[in-house]
Amino acid sequence: MKVRFTPSARAQFLSALAYIRRDKPSAATSFREHSETVLRRLEDFPESGRIIPEFPELPYREVIISPYRFFYKIKGDVVWIVAVWHGAQLPMLAAP
């Protein structure tokens, strides 16, 4: 499997990194590296993320990389990251 970001999810992830970087650049680097490691696991274990509690009826899953939630959908041989939200935000999802 491949892990890919939708354009909007990539923008959300980059925005999160920029926000973290303003206060502590080293924390942004650590968050990016940790995110890459966790998301890379989805290549081998795409269903390892949990079903989204707020939307159990939808075909989306999430992995939490504190304090952010990465929402994704498996489509064919691609894991699509569709949204990246801070844990304090209510999720809104869109199809890839």
Side-chain angles (χ1 to χ4, degrees):
M1 293 228 129
K2 300 173 199 161
V3 175
R4 300 285 184 253
F5 281 79
T6 63
S8 60
R10 179 167 304 286
Q12 291 167 342
F13 180 55
L14 293 175
S15 177
L17 287 173
Y19 180 79
I20 296 167
R21 189 175 295 116
R22 278 186 288 215
D23 289 330
K24 190 171 182 185
S26 63
T29 300
S30 295
F31 177 71
R32 181 186 50 80
E33 290 171 352
H34 183 58
S35 297
E36 289 172 355
T37 299
V38 171
L39 296 176
R40 197 171 303 119
R41 282 189 215 131
L42 295 176
E43 293 174 350
D44 294 322
F45 306 102
E47 294 187 19
S48 62
R50 72 179 187 170
I51 292 173
I52 301 169
E54 295 90 343
F55 304 105
E57 70 284 355
L58 296 179
Y60 294 94
R61 293 182 169 271
E62 73 174 333
V63 291
I64 298 173
I65 305 167
S66 188
Y68 289 87
R69 298 168 72 183
F70 288 70
F71 301 98
Y72 69 93
K73 181 176 183 177
I74 303 165
K75 194 168 184 179
D77 66 344
V78 178
V79 173
W80 283 101
I81 308 300
V82 297
V84 179
W85 287 69
H86 190 279
Q89 293 174 288
L90 293 176
M92 296 173 64
L93 302 172

